[in-house]
């Protein structure tokens, strides 16, 4: 049979996308269910489902419920038809996850990042990626791609233009990783990745307007409006860690003074706790757990600053939820009362009415899961446009 051309090919792509989305959202379901859900006729659905079965993305399972007559065959999405790698490049760590095509974590790896030199960091990234790829079971599509979240500003070509806390400028990260792995790579700001992670798999599921605040050594924010990531004119939105909150404040690595992250980040907390002899978040949280009053007071003071910045965000965006994620989400128990009090004090009551402050349901995994989601969604986009092929990179 001749391949359909022109308009027909376009219609087929659209219909394939519709059928695949129906399976992804509603499986297990029958061909008849798909026809009802999508309005496509049964013959078209059968033909497209057969294509997806041949592509090994959909499988048939036992019989479903029937209202009488022959029981229908049910269809499932085959989530192990391929895998993706997500990476969260932090200021002092690299976290990686291997996920299946549904985004379920299959394997994880984490290591400390001791130097920020791009050459060294990329070697460390590659080791982490190779290790995770090695953990993928053999599958029809193998590892379909890699997503990376980085603590900085990323352009459309996946170059890191500026990452103040890594001291990176103009690092062509996507090009380098694609060249070395032979896989499609997506790079985004880690707060955008974290926002996507929480939106797809965490506390932001089903929430239309969500602001994700990533509080680690710095602060970044990922803005989701009407369920879509808001990236701004050039993809640079969300640098709210550099919101000015002290008019004559401390100098920041970005060139400004008095930036929010200098007062409300993990780095700010550790700086304040250094005179007490604490050098890292783990020992600090253990002291808080043990009821050390001075430590609890310091965490609450950081929470007060966090709340001040969140109040500004709430007044601007009027979101349904603000989700606090990344490493400082571990201090939720001691941060929450101070954050809530500051937000109550500093926002307009109209904005507060429907707004909730939550902590990341995925804990420290928001960014790594969101980064992996980028790779998965890019794969699905290729499937829907008929460009994917099996086994190209099969492991
Ligand atoms: Zn700054």
């Amino acid at each position: 049979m001749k391949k359909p051309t022109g308009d027909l090919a376009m219609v087929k792509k659209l219909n394939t996308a519709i059928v695949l989305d129906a399976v992804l959202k509603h499986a297990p379901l029958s061909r008849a269910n798909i026809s009802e859900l999508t309005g496509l006729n049964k013959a078209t659905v059968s033909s497209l489902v057969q294509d997806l079965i041949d592509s090994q993305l959909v499988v048939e399972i036992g019989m479903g419920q029937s209202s009488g007559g022959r029981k229908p065959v049910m269809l499932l999405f085959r989530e192990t038809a391929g895998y993706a790698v997500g990476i969260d490049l932090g200021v002092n760590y690299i976290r990686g996850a291997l996920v299946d095509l549904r985004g379920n974590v299959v394997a994880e790896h984490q290591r400390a990042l001791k130097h920020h030199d791009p050459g060294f960091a990329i070697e460390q990234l590659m080791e982490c990626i190779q290790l995770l790829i090695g953990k993928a079971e053999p599958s029809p599509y193998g590892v379909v791609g890699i997503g990376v979240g980085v603590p900085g500003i990323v352009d459309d070509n996946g170059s890191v233009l500026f990452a103040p806390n890594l001291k990176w400028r103009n690092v062509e990260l996507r090009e380098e990783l694609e060249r070395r792995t032979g896989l499609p790579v997506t790079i985004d700001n880690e707060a955008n990745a974290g926002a996507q992670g929480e939106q797809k798999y965490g506390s932001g599921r089903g929430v239309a307007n969500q602001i994700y605040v990533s509080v680690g050594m710095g602060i970044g924010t990922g803005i989701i409006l009407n369920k879509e990531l808001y990236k701004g004119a050039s993809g640079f939105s969300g640098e709210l860690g550099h919101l000015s909150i002290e008019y004559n404040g401390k100098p920041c690595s970005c060139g400004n003074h008095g930036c929010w992250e200098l007062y409300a980040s993990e780095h700010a907390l550790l700086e304040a706790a250094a005179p007490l002899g604490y050098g890292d978040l783990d020992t600090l949280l253990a002291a808080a757990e043990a009821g050390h009053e001075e430590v609890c007071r310091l965490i609450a003071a950081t929470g007060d600053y966090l709340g001040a910045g969140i109040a500004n965000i709430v007044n601007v965006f009027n979101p349904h939820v603000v989700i606090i994620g990344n490493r400082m989400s571990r201090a939720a128990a001691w941060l929450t009362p101070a954050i809530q009090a500051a937000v109550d004090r500093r926002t307009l009551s109209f904005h507060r009415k429907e707004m909730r402050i939550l902590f990341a349901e995925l804990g420290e995994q928001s960014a790594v899961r969101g980064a992996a989601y980028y790779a998965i969604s890019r794969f699905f986009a290729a499937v829907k446009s008929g460009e994917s092929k099996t086994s190209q990179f099969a492991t």
Side-chain angles (χ1 to χ4, degrees):
M1 206 175 94
K2 275 206 306 188
K3 273 188 96 173
T5 51
D7 289 351
L8 270 180
M10 178 56 80
V11 168
K12 187 171 179 201
K13 279 178 195 172
L14 283 174
N15 288 343
T16 303
I18 290 168
V19 170
L20 181 58
D21 279 337
V23 176
L24 283 169
K25 274 193 202 121
H26 303 287
L29 80 179
S30 66
R31 288 168 175 82
N33 295 148
I34 296 176
S35 180
E36 283 158 26
L37 279 166
T38 62
L40 294 170
N41 73 50
K42 285 182 183 166
T44 303
V45 168
S46 280
S47 148
L48 293 171
V49 164
Q50 194 53 49
D51 286 352
L52 289 169
I53 291 173
D54 293 344
S55 315
Q56 307 196 54
L57 287 169
V58 167
V59 284
E60 292 180 323
I61 50 158
M63 305 296 165
Q65 297 285 331
S66 167
S67 49
R70 200 158 62 94
K71 288 187 172 172
V73 175
M74 301 304 275
L75 303 165
L76 277 185
F77 173 64
R78 189 177 168 196
E79 56 220 15
T80 53
Y83 297 89
V85 171
I87 300 283
D88 170 13
L89 171 60
V91 174
N92 47 14
Y93 65 89
I94 295 172
R95 180 190 295 275
L98 179 76
V99 303
D100 66 23
L101 293 179
R102 276 250 186 239
N104 300 306
V105 176
V106 176
E108 292 178 77
H109 177 71
Q110 195 183 349
R111 59 176 62 196
L113 181 66
K114 300 217 168 82
H115 310 286
H116 294 150
D117 169 63
F120 175 81
I122 289 169
E123 286 304 326
Q124 295 288 309
L125 282 174
M126 278 303 301
E127 277 181 28
C128 181
I129 289 167
Q130 297 297 3
L131 201 139
L132 289 165
I133 289 176
K135 291 191 177 172
E137 297 282 333
S139 63
Y141 292 88
V143 172
V144 299
I146 299 164
V148 186
V150 299
I153 295 173
V154 180
D155 72 6
D156 292 340
N157 299 318
S159 293
V160 182
L161 299 183
F162 183 45
N165 293 316
L166 290 175
K167 301 190 171 61
W168 282 16
R169 274 182 195 276
N170 303 316
V171 176
E172 291 174 351
L173 190 58
R174 184 173 85 192
E175 194 182 300
E176 186 66 19
L177 294 181
E178 286 191 338
R179 190 178 62 75
R180 293 204 192 189
T181 61
L183 291 171
V185 174
T186 307
I187 313 275
D188 199 359
N189 175 271
E190 65 84 24
N192 284 344
Q196 283 288 24
E198 288 296 320
Q199 174 75 195
K200 296 295 167 191
Y201 313 115
S203 351
R205 278 187 311 256
V207 174
N209 299 298
Q210 166 207 313
I211 311 288
Y212 173 80
V213 183
S214 165
V215 192
M217 293 309 270
I219 294 181
T221 49
I223 300 162
I224 290 188
L225 303 176
N226 294 321
K227 299 202 169 183
E228 295 285 334
L229 188 67
Y230 174 76
K231 298 202 68 168
S234 314
F236 306 155
S237 68
E239 286 299 325
L240 298 177
H242 300 283
L243 205 69
S244 303
I245 63 160
E246 291 281 3
Y247 193 80
N248 287 315
K250 300 185 246 187
C252 182
S253 57
C254 74
N256 187 12
H257 282 74
C259 293
W260 186 26
E261 70 176 30
L262 301 177
Y263 301 88
S265 63
E266 177 186 352
H267 182 76
L269 175 62
L270 292 179
E271 205 174 53
L276 302 179
Y278 295 96
D280 63 77
L281 193 61
D282 290 325
T283 50
L284 206 60
L285 292 181
E289 190 76 57
H292 191 304
E293 266 182 42
E294 186 68 4
V295 168
C296 294
R297 198 189 58 75
L298 284 179
I299 299 178
T302 308
D304 186 39
Y305 272 115
L306 261 177
I310 289 171
N312 285 327
I313 294 171
V314 167
N315 281 338
V316 173
F317 291 104
N318 181 24
H320 293 105
V321 299
V322 172
I323 300 171
I324 298 165
N326 205 343
R327 288 170 54 85
M328 284 284 276
S329 64
R330 294 168 58 197
W334 304 280
L335 286 172
T336 303
I339 293 174
Q340 194 65 57
V343 169
D344 288 349
R345 203 166 63 239
R346 293 173 188 271
T347 51
L348 300 169
S349 61
F350 306 103
H351 293 65
R352 278 206 301 279
K353 224 159 121 194
E354 306 242 349
M355 198 272 301
R356 287 174 300 148
I357 295 173
L358 305 173
F359 283 83
E361 194 177 308
L362 306 177
E364 294 177 71
Q365 284 197 332
S366 317
V368 80
R369 299 279 302 275
Y373 170 77
Y374 284 124
I376 297 170
S377 57
R378 195 163 154 178
F379 169 73
F380 283 132
V383 168
K384 289 171 184 174
S385 66
E387 282 159 17
S388 72
K389 27 185 186 299
T390 49
S391 299
Q392 191 184 357
F393 302 114
T395 51

